[in-house]
Amino acid sequence: MSCEAAGPSTALSDSKFSQRGVCEEDFDQIVRVFASYSPAEIVLPLIDDPSPQPPTEPVREDFDGAIGFVDVSGFTQLSEKLTKENTRYLGSELLNRYINSYLTELINGVSKFDGDVIKFAGDALQVVWRNRACSVGHDDMSLGMLVLQASKCCLELLKTHNNFSPPDVDDVKLKLHMGVGAGQLQSFRVGGHDGKWEYFVAGGAVEQKSE
């Protein structure tokens, strides 16, 4: 169900970035960075578009899928310990390093099971498993198979990343708390004011994961 992403189109270089003197090579790198922070359902459909544009009106899509909530506890205790045992500046730097490293591992684990990280909510990740429109040549997965994929992912994350202690911080453990919901979901792209758009997913399955 995975999709191979090609490099961003250089046709984008006609945008405001090029007007500000950003060279094509630097612009491609900027696009790649922004894409890495965006859901796959936003990025992948634009890959083959020679001149991708933002929406002109709100967009809603209904689909069947599984949605997971991967919550991390322990960052507050970690922050307090690092601040106490180091200078405030060094403690903040170490905390930032540990959080980024841990979340990167979680994201890589989610990607391994074809999950799409939709949002970060505090210390938690919201992840969707669905059939992607770009999956040409791949059979669509049933809702049950998507739930199985999500469940396998969560179990693997619990096995490999639960009760994790950052280097040299033995008495603080980062714990994972997860829930999975399934059914019909709705994705929305709303906004448009000053060129800013928001993407989010809603539906009854979102509430299931917290029950």
Side-chain angles (χ1 to χ4, degrees):
M1 222 172 80
S2 62
C3 304
E4 295 298 326
S9 170
T10 55
L12 286 170
S13 58
D14 291 332
S15 69
K16 294 180 181 179
F17 285 104
S18 62
Q19 296 173 10
R20 295 173 182 172
V22 178
C23 70
E24 185 174 289
E25 182 178 348
D26 288 343
F27 177 75
D28 281 354
Q29 181 61 32
I30 291 171
V31 171
R32 292 178 187 276
V33 170
F34 274 104
S36 70
Y37 288 95
S38 303
E41 283 305 313
I42 296 294
V43 176
L44 293 176
L46 302 176
I47 289 174
D48 295 324
D49 189 337
S51 183
Q53 300 296 324
T56 57
E57 60 184 11
V59 178
R60 168 178 170 164
E61 180 189 7
D62 296 341
F63 62 94
D64 289 335
I67 185 166
F69 193 71
V70 182
D71 188 25
V72 183
S73 65
F75 283 143
T76 299
Q77 296 92 324
L78 179 60
S79 174
E80 292 172 350
K81 181 174 179 62
L82 292 175
T83 301
K84 181 179 179 180
E85 296 183 353
N86 301 276
T87 64
R88 184 174 180 179
Y89 174 78
L90 179 57
S92 297
E93 285 294 309
L94 288 173
L95 178 65
N96 183 63
R97 185 186 308 169
Y98 292 149
I99 289 177
N100 285 343
S101 177
Y102 190 69
L103 291 181
T104 296
E105 290 296 319
L106 293 182
I107 293 170
N108 289 340
V110 166
S111 298
K112 178 181 176 182
F113 289 87
D114 293 323
D116 187 10
V117 178
I118 301 299
K119 279 192 179 299
F120 290 90
D123 300 331
L125 287 71
Q126 189 180 65
V127 187
V128 165
W129 284 265
R130 59 171 295 180
N131 292 302
R132 296 176 182 168
C134 66
S135 299
V136 178
H138 294 267
D139 293 334
D140 283 352
M141 299 178 70
S142 67
L143 180 59
M145 291 298 294
L146 292 171
V147 172
L148 181 61
Q149 189 84 332
S151 300
K152 286 181 177 179
C153 177
C154 290
L155 290 173
E156 179 70 14
L157 291 179
L158 284 171
K159 179 181 178 181
T160 56
H161 294 91
N162 193 36
N163 291 319
F164 173 78
S165 292
D168 303 320
V169 191
D170 296 331
D171 54 344
V172 174
K173 292 185 181 297
L174 302 180
K175 298 180 179 293
L176 294 175
H177 312 272
M178 305 180 189
V180 175
Q184 188 173 79
L185 292 162
Q186 296 82 41
S187 66
F188 297 88
R189 303 182 201 186
V190 298
H193 178 69
D194 199 25
K196 297 178 181 178
W197 290 85
E198 179 77 10
Y199 178 82
F200 66 93
V201 172
V206 177
E207 303 302 323
Q208 291 174 22
K209 67 185 187 325
S210 61
E211 294 177 356

